[in-house]
């Protein structure tokens, strides 16, 4: 159970950190080899490009998990002044539904994209890596995104029903024991 909880909390961060560190090391070795040794590595740019593609796709689920996805805060805050705090939860839930539909729509295309690369047995020119392994990030990423969107959706439903605290409404008191003016305005 600890492994599943750890994966839920840190999977994207860990993979992204490893990929970014790998990109940095490979490009550092490439620059050193090119300028200090006068010999360029043929595989370094290709591996770095593949790592960059993977970080791009994995960052989508990372952003969804950390609520850094699609937001129109000013629009939501406009309705917040008119209605109670549950309006923000409703809008966030609506965004979750739209994201779920989007990724559900993209999943079959990603599957066919990876499948066609697997059938063609194409390989990368410099390293000979099967391209389906590189392109599989589309499928992996969209599945992860669906999982993260479902998690967010369920969290917002629990917040709407009052079973989970709402961070912007149930704000903790500041260090001096008083809530900030903005928090008091939202709570009243």
């Amino acid at each position: 159970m600890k492994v599943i909880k750890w994966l839920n909390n840190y999977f994207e961060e860990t993979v992204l950190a490893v990929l970014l560190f790998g990109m940095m090391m490979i490009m550092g070795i490439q620059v050193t080899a090119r300028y200090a040794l006068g010999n360029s590595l043929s595989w370094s740019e290709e591996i770095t490009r593949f790592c960059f593609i993977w970080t791009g796709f994995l960052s989508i689920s990372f952003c969804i998990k950390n609520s850094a996805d699609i937001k129109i805060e000013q629009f939501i805050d406009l309705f917040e002044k008119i209605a109670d705090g549950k309006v923000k939860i409703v809008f966030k839930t609506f965004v979750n539904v739209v994201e779920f539909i989007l990724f559900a729509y993209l999943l079959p295309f990603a599957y066919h994209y990876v499948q066609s690369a697997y059938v063609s047995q194409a390989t990368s020119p410099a390293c000979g890596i099967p391209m389906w392994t590189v392109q599989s990030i589309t499928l992996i990423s969209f599945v992860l995104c669906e999982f993260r969107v479902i998690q967010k959706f369920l969290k917002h439903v629990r917040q709407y029903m009052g079973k989970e605290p709402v961070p912007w409404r149930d704000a903790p008191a500041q260090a001096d024991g008083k809530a900030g003016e903005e928090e008091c305005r939202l709570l009243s």
Side-chain angles (χ1 to χ4, degrees), residues 23-171:
M23 287 169 51
M24 181 188 69
M25 293 302 295
I26 291 170
M27 290 313 292
I29 292 168
Q30 167 67 357
V31 168
T32 303
R34 181 180 295 156
Y35 292 109
L37 305 175
N39 190 8
S40 182
L41 303 172
S42 62
W43 54 269
S44 63
E45 290 182 29
E46 188 173 85
I47 296 294
T48 304
R49 187 178 313 116
F50 295 158
C51 289
F52 184 72
I53 292 167
W54 273 65
T55 57
F57 277 98
L58 280 176
S59 66
I60 301 169
S61 64
F62 174 76
C63 288
I64 292 171
K65 183 182 98 172
N66 292 308
S67 297
D69 51 344
I70 302 169
K71 290 185 182 180
I72 310 172
E73 289 296 325
Q74 291 176 335
F75 182 71
I76 294 171
D77 288 342
L78 176 72
F79 286 99
E80 186 85 10
K81 295 173 184 174
I82 299 168
D84 65 352
K86 290 190 175 185
V87 172
K88 192 177 245 184
I89 299 170
V90 170
F91 276 112
K92 287 180 180 259
T93 305
F94 175 74
V95 168
N96 292 143
V97 171
V98 170
E99 287 175 332
F100 183 84
I101 292 168
L102 172 70
F103 293 119
Y105 175 77
L106 292 174
L107 266 170
F109 293 107
Y111 174 77
H112 291 301
Y113 181 61
V114 174
Q115 184 183 32
S116 66
Y118 181 78
V119 169
S120 72
Q121 293 297 311
T123 58
S124 64
C127 299
I129 297 172
M131 289 306 292
W132 70 268
T133 59
V134 176
Q135 296 167 351
S136 66
I137 189 57
T138 56
L139 187 61
I140 293 166
S141 173
F142 295 154
V143 168
L144 263 173
C145 288
E146 287 285 43
F147 178 71
R148 295 301 185 188
V149 167
I150 291 169
Q151 282 182 322
K152 284 292 187 183
F153 177 82
L154 294 174
K155 179 180 180 179
H156 292 141
V157 168
R158 286 191 305 270
Q159 287 175 341
Y160 185 83
M161 296 173 68
K163 295 181 179 180
E164 192 170 316
V166 180
W168 59 86
R169 192 177 65 205
D170 303 331

